[in-house]
Each structure stands twice: as structure tokens, then as C-alpha cells.
Amino acid sequence: MDKKLIGVDLGGTTIKFAILTTEGEIQQKWSIETNILDEGTHIVPDIVSSINHHIALYNMQVEQFVGIGMGSPGTVDLDAGTVIGAYNLNWKTLQQVKKVVEQETGIPFAIDNDANVAALGERWKGAGENNGEVAFITLGTGVGGGLVSNGKLLHGVRAAGEVGHMIVQPQGYLCTCGNHGCLETYASATGIVRVARDMAEEFAGNSKLKQMLDDGQEITSKIVFDLAKKEDLLGKMVVERVCYYLGLACANLANLLNPSFVVIGGGVSAAGEYLLKRVNKYFQEFAFPVVEKTTTLKLAQLGNEAGVIGAASLALTFK
Amino acid sequence: MDKKLIGVDLGGTTIKFAILTTEGEIQQKWSIETNILDEGTHIVPDIVSSINHHIALYNMQVEQFVGIGMGSPGTVDLDAGTVIGAYNLNWKTLQQVKKVVEQETGIPFAIDNDANVAALGERWKGAGENNGEVAFITLGTGVGGGLVSNGKLLHGVRAAGEVGHMIVQPQGYLCTCGNHGCLETYASATGIVRVARDMAEEFAGNSKLKQMLDDGQEITSKIVFDLAKKEDLLGKMVVERVCYYLGLACANLANLLNPSFVVIGGGVSAAGEYLLKRVNKYFQEFAFPVVEKTTTLKLAQLGNEAGVIGAASLALTFK
């Protein structure tokens, strides 16, 4: 009998679920709202009851499942299956996720942080082509990362894969982490807007972006890229600077890990080939020759589904 | 019966050998000169006959050995057991090392490149404390590296661990690899002298180092550090700049891998705590807070023996 996997992608606004084959094909998917009230105490019970409900709904048995895998914000203890410090979930104290889920579903449970899980998803079924050497960078509100080498996620002591906190400009912008010049301060969605505001101040030419900023209009990273694609002068300069830092970070990452693919995902990566081409230009400038020839930059392919797919793959260890 | 390991550290001037227990204790060691004549065709036969000679000398049997491990310069193909492009050995064409050694000794053979093998040695029996998460940086004529995560060396597609070619100063010094601003151009033995010459040009104070450079005397990285320790003004400035780039590179490495230890070895590391303290200052400035708390910089402990010990550890896979 073909056994199935369950993947859970826990986010601040929704919790996504999927039932997958052990080959990673999604067979069912659904989602519920994340109820962060009462210090997030409803979250784990909601996950459990949603899983149990859907197992019953699809006339399936607990024995048909290899395991449940989940990606979570916050600091995850893989072995204990606990999470702490997931502030967007109101989880300030230690959450016994694995213990409760296994008790209430009767299915083995594994957990990792959301960036790592998205990396596993893209690696398994997306741009990573199931290769054993894949780095994943996600450009969203922040910049996250997940690194796979020798076919396994790298965790280090606790916080490997902090791609967003690589220093690309010593004495650069102040980051929320307290350091200066982290990649995140330039290449996250908010970082790009920050670069735009900064460069606009010294820009004296003709630019719609400049006008919008001077008018006090709301600017997003998407607007910056869209205007750049339409040949807006300031927009092009901002994109060039952002891609310079991204290319430098990708090159230094690749000089250390020499992955087959550096996969770029997250909201900002919606800028597509326009972004990739420019990051690649700087990557090629800064990568060690052998690395430049053997590591390829790619856009992510799975979008929102990377999380549930990667989460489900955590459960393959129970196979 | 306790089986033994053989470690071979192949260098451009000497070949070091050791017989070790499977716990990594050296029981016998010897070395021979590297004969690079005739396109290095004598090297593998010399290794084989030296091993066979010493096995007989110590009244040992082939069956007493788990395996032979070797570290080599050049580009190593781990699976095929071949080496190519080791120019300091005059090995320009593909060398069938594994095939010949196994045939002529009857002992299983494994090989990796010299920086990786030194990393394995320091990780196993030196500063790495046999931890599963260790990064090794060697500061010699060049700057090399070896990265261990999840208890295994990272190889990437081909060239993981190129720590010396991380870009620490875009548009900086031209490197032999063709890129600009590689760590190696500032922090290798020759890089340090280059920084000294450069900074001497603009230096106008009182300095023995400045005098020596102006007099056309031969300068080494050791002289730079020795003078800095004696409060030479220019010497101190040079050391500060070198340690800044080393600290930045160590931080970016640790932001990605969060190893338990970043171990600094090679000839330049003879500067000891004086070097470590200053690298650490910049490491702390640039490392992500969790990384700063969990990753420790250390000096290498094994010196020249790291190579044979790490090489021998490759043979543990045959156990």
C-alpha cells in the first residue's frame, strides 16, 4: 500500500496543509486561518483537529501515513520538536508541538524552521531538481535561507543559513539584528524601498519613482522593479544596487558551498528573469572561476507550495 | 585485534606518513622527499614502496590495516581516486593514485585535497574537539579552507570551502584567480606583505617596518606581526587591516554555517593569540547575534601533523 505524507506550513496569517505521496505529489490541500489569540494557544489544537478532520473526510486511516512534517517561524528545536520565540504567532514561551501532535493524531511528527522547509521543498520538487547540493534564498519582508549539502540541511550549532545577515556592506544600513550592512537591509522588500528612498535624495534626473517618493506615495519593491523595467532611471539604479549586493552574497555563499543551484525565491523574486539576469552579472564578477562554472543561479518554481512540500519531506525520515 | 590506519600527506617538498590507531593516536611517523622529476611519475611508486617498506620494518601485515588515507594538492576526484593539476608536483595529467596504491599495497585507499584533509585532522584530534560542525581556515602562501557540517566534509559540486576566495573588498587587490578583493589577497602570507607595502606608501610616521620596506629589505608576514607586537605603528595598522578582513570573512562564513568552531591554522596563525584576539574583535562586529554566541574562533593545535591525521581519518570509512 502506498503510504502518504502530511505537510504543514505554519504562517502568521494562514496554516497550509497538504497530503502528498512519498514522491512529493500533492493529492489534497487545504488551509485554515491562524488564530494567534490567547498567546497562540489555539494553534496546535487547531492543527491537530484540522488534520484529524481531513483524514476522516477523505476516509483515510492513521496507518496510511508515514508521518507529518511541519515548518514553523521562530526558533525550532528539531530533536525536542519544540518552538520558541515565534512572535508573529504570539508564541513567546516554549511550545510542545511534536508531543501534542503525535499524541493527538497518532502519527510521527518532524519539524524545522520555515526557511529550511521551503528550501527542502524547492530542492525536492522545484528548481533544485532533487540535487544534493542546493542553496535557497528567500527575498520577502526579510531575507532568509536554507542550505542543503551532502543531501542534508545544514543547521550548524543553531542558526546556519542566515543568508540575510551576511554582511555585504560593512558600515552600511543598520539591521534589526543590530549589525550594519546585512544583505537583508538592501535586498528584502523593505530594504529595496530603503535603497530607493536613499538614492532618490541624491537623484536629480527625470524619474517617476523619484516623483512618487517626493509626493509621499506608498512605494513597494514591486513598484521599483516595475518602473525599472519601464526604463525609469532611478528605478534602474536602485535595482542595479540591490542586484549588486545579491550577486556578491550569492558569490560568497557559492565560494564556500559550491552548490549545484542557488535558488532565489520569495515575493521579490516575482521580478523574474529581469532580477536573475542582473544578480547573475555580479555573481559572475565575484564567484571563484570553478564555482562560476559549476554553480547556477535559478528562480524558485514552487511559489507558496514550497512550504508544505518541504515540510512533508521531513516526514520521509519515518519511512 | 586493533587495526591501524595509514595517513599520507603529500606536499611539494616532502611526503609525510604516519601509522595511527583508529582513535587517531600516531604510533609511527616518517617522511620522504618528494621527487617531482619526470613529471612527478616517481611520486606514487615512492609512496607505495615507502609504505610497504615500513609495514615490513615494523613486522606488520597488510591485514592489520583498515585503510590508507591521503591528502594531495591539485584537483582530486574522490570517487575515482585520481588527481589532476597539482602543479607543484609536476602532475599535469590525470594520476591514477587509488588504483595503483591499492594494487601495490593490497590496502583500501581514500583521497581528498590537502586543505580538506587538514580540516579533518584539526576537527578530529585538534581544536575541533571532534565536533560535527567545524570550519578550518589555513593562512599560508595562499588561504585555504575545509568545512565540516553534519559530521561530513562539504565538497559541493567540486570546489566547496574556497574561503580564500570569498570577496572581502569588491574592487580590491587583483587575485591570482582573476577576481578582485579575495580574502587571500589580504590575509595570506604574501597578502600581508602586500598590505604592508601598500600602507607604507601613505604612512608618514615613525616605523621600523616602514624603514625596512623603504630600504628594500625582505619582509615576511612574521616580521609584520613581530613588529606589531613591539608596538610598531605601521605594523599595528597592517595587522589591524588584515584582521578586519579575516574577521569579516569568518563572520560571513559563520553566518552561513554557524559551526561550533572556526579553526585558524597555517603559517600565519603562528602569530597566535595576538592574531586571534584581533580577528575576534571584527568577527563579533559582523556575526549575527545567535552566531556570535554559538560559534567560537580558535587557533589550530596540530601544526604539521593535521595532514597525516586527517588523511588517516579518511580510511575510517573502510572500518
Side-chain angles (χ1 to χ4, degrees):
Chain A
M1 192 188 66
D2 278 358
K3 287 201 164 192
K4 307 298 180 208
L5 309 170
I6 296 177
V8 184
D9 180 6
L10 172 55
T13 51
T14 61
I15 309 172
K16 300 188 192 71
F17 298 82
I19 295 175
L20 298 87
T21 66
T22 53
E23 272 71 50
E25 301 306 320
I26 294 180
Q27 300 204 307
Q28 304 286 348
K29 60 180 183 171
W30 70 95
S31 64
I32 61 175
E33 276 180 51
T34 311
N35 179 356
I36 61 169
L37 296 177
D38 307 316
E39 302 207 328
T41 51
H42 302 287
I43 293 172
V44 176
D46 283 356
I47 289 171
V48 165
S49 66
S50 187
I51 289 174
N52 285 336
H53 172 68
H54 279 78
I55 292 177
L57 188 69
Y58 302 132
N59 285 315
M60 297 180 80
Q61 313 299 322
V62 163
E63 296 71 32
Q64 284 178 264
F65 293 94
V66 175
I68 302 169
M70 181 166 125
S72 171
T75 303
V76 176
D77 183 324
L78 309 184
D79 298 321
T82 57
V83 179
I84 196 167
Y87 298 103
N88 57 343
L89 305 176
N90 281 334
W91 278 359
K92 291 161 199 159
T93 57
L94 193 77
Q95 304 291 315
Q96 293 287 354
V97 186
K98 177 185 169 77
K99 198 175 145 192
V100 174
V101 174
E102 288 191 341
Q103 215 159 47
E104 303 297 321
T105 64
I107 303 174
F109 177 86
I111 188 167
D112 207 322
N113 79 52
D114 42 12
N116 280 344
V117 152
L120 286 178
E122 278 294 340
R123 178 247 173 163
W124 190 23
K125 304 303 291 184
E129 302 179 12
N130 205 24
N131 192 289
E133 306 288 333
V134 176
F136 177 70
I137 301 181
T138 172
L139 310 174
T141 316
V143 172
L147 309 173
V148 173
S149 185
N150 290 320
K152 281 189 167 27
L153 271 173
L154 306 184
H155 289 101
V157 181
R158 202 171 340 148
E162 288 292 354
V163 180
H165 297 281
M166 291 182 78
I167 306 292
V168 292
Q169 179 65 275
Q171 292 88 48
Y173 290 157
L174 178 64
C175 182
T176 50
C177 80
N179 289 343
H180 284 267
C182 297
L183 176 64
E184 181 166 299
T185 65
Y186 298 93
S188 65
T190 46
I192 293 167
V193 174
R194 190 171 177 176
V195 173
R197 283 191 200 290
D198 234 36
M199 294 183 79
E201 276 187 29
E202 305 195 355
F203 182 83
N206 190 9
S207 157
K208 175 107 187 284
L209 179 59
K210 165 86 170 161
Q211 270 175 30
M212 290 177 77
L213 285 162
D214 288 349
D215 291 352
Q217 291 185 47
E218 189 89 359
I219 295 294
T220 62
S221 62
K222 183 177 184 320
I223 291 174
V224 173
F225 272 97
D226 286 348
L227 288 171
K229 288 177 185 176
K230 286 179 195 154
E231 298 290 325
D232 182 274
L233 266 183
L234 175 60
K236 284 168 72 176
M237 286 167 62
V238 173
V239 166
E240 205 66 25
R241 184 167 300 182
V242 168
C243 291
Y244 166 86
Y245 288 125
L246 273 169
L248 176 61
C250 287
N252 275 341
L253 182 159
N255 288 342
L256 288 180
L257 299 174
N258 188 26
S260 298
F261 307 110
V262 177
V263 179
I264 301 175
V268 173
S269 74
E273 292 295 333
Y274 187 85
L275 169 78
L276 190 67
K277 187 180 158 190
R278 284 158 181 79
V279 176
N280 217 11
K281 180 175 75 180
Y282 293 107
F283 172 78
Q284 285 171 355
E285 180 177 336
F286 295 126
F288 185 64
V290 181
V291 169
E292 185 195 328
K293 285 187 191 72
T294 51
T295 294
T296 305
L297 304 193
K298 289 181 82 173
L299 294 167
Q301 295 172 352
L302 300 182
N304 278 334
E305 287 184 351
V308 283
I309 294 174
S313 76
L314 291 175
L316 287 170
T317 56
F318 301 120
K319 219 174 122 181
Chain B
M1 190 188 65
D2 277 358
K3 287 201 163 190
K4 308 298 180 211
L5 309 170
I6 295 177
V8 184
D9 179 7
L10 172 56
T13 51
T14 62
I15 310 173
K16 301 188 191 70
F17 298 81
I19 295 175
L20 298 87
T21 67
T22 52
E23 273 70 50
E25 301 307 320
I26 293 180
Q27 299 203 308
Q28 305 285 351
K29 58 179 187 173
W30 70 95
S31 66
I32 62 175
E33 276 182 51
T34 312
N35 179 355
I36 61 170
L37 296 177
D38 306 316
E39 301 207 327
T41 50
H42 303 286
I43 293 173
V44 175
D46 283 356
I47 289 171
V48 164
S49 67
S50 188
I51 289 173
N52 286 336
H53 172 68
H54 279 77
I55 291 176
L57 189 68
Y58 302 131
N59 285 315
M60 297 179 80
Q61 312 301 322
V62 163
E63 296 72 31
Q64 284 178 262
F65 293 94
V66 176
I68 302 169
M70 181 167 126
S72 172
T75 302
V76 176
D77 183 323
L78 310 184
D79 297 321
T82 57
V83 179
I84 194 167
Y87 298 104
N88 57 342
L89 305 176
N90 282 334
W91 278 0
K92 290 162 202 157
T93 58
L94 193 77
Q95 304 291 314
Q96 293 286 355
V97 186
K98 177 184 169 78
K99 198 176 146 192
V100 174
V101 174
E102 288 190 340
Q103 213 160 49
E104 302 297 321
T105 64
I107 303 174
F109 178 86
I111 187 167
D112 207 324
N113 78 52
D114 42 12
N116 280 343
V117 152
L120 285 179
E122 279 293 340
R123 179 248 172 161
W124 190 24
K125 304 303 291 183
E129 302 179 13
N130 205 23
N131 193 288
E133 305 288 334
V134 176
F136 177 71
I137 301 182
T138 174
L139 309 174
T141 316
V143 172
L147 308 173
V148 172
S149 185
N150 289 320
K152 283 192 165 26
L153 272 174
L154 305 185
H155 289 100
V157 181
R158 203 176 332 156
E162 288 292 356
V163 180
H165 297 281
M166 290 181 79
I167 305 294
V168 293
Q169 181 65 275
Q171 290 89 49
Y173 291 158
L174 178 64
C175 182
T176 50
C177 80
N179 289 343
H180 285 266
C182 297
L183 176 64
E184 180 165 300
T185 65
Y186 298 93
S188 65
T190 44
I192 293 167
V193 174
R194 188 171 179 177
V195 173
R197 283 191 200 288
D198 233 35
M199 293 183 80
E201 277 189 27
E202 304 195 355
F203 182 84
N206 189 11
S207 158
K208 174 109 188 282
L209 179 59
K210 166 84 171 163
Q211 271 175 31
M212 290 177 76
L213 285 162
D214 287 350
D215 290 355
Q217 291 185 48
E218 189 89 1
I219 295 294
T220 64
S221 61
K222 184 177 182 319
I223 291 173
V224 173
F225 273 96
D226 286 348
L227 288 172
K229 288 176 184 176
K230 289 180 192 153
E231 299 290 324
D232 184 273
L233 266 183
L234 175 61
K236 284 167 73 176
M237 286 167 61
V238 173
V239 167
E240 204 65 26
R241 185 168 298 183
V242 169
C243 290
Y244 165 86
Y245 288 125
L246 273 170
L248 175 62
C250 287
N252 275 341
L253 181 159
N255 287 341
L256 287 181
L257 298 175
N258 188 25
S260 297
F261 308 111
V262 178
V263 179
I264 301 175
V268 172
S269 74
E273 292 296 333
Y274 187 85
L275 169 78
L276 190 65
K277 187 179 156 188
R278 284 158 180 79
V279 176
N280 218 11
K281 179 175 77 180
Y282 293 108
F283 173 76
Q284 284 169 356
E285 179 177 337
F286 295 126
F288 185 63
V290 182
V291 170
E292 185 196 328
K293 285 187 190 72
T294 51
T295 295
T296 306
L297 304 194
K298 290 180 81 173
L299 294 167
Q301 297 172 349
L302 301 181
N304 277 334
E305 287 185 352
V308 282
I309 295 174
S313 77
L314 291 176
L316 287 170
T317 55
F318 301 121
K319 219 174 123 182

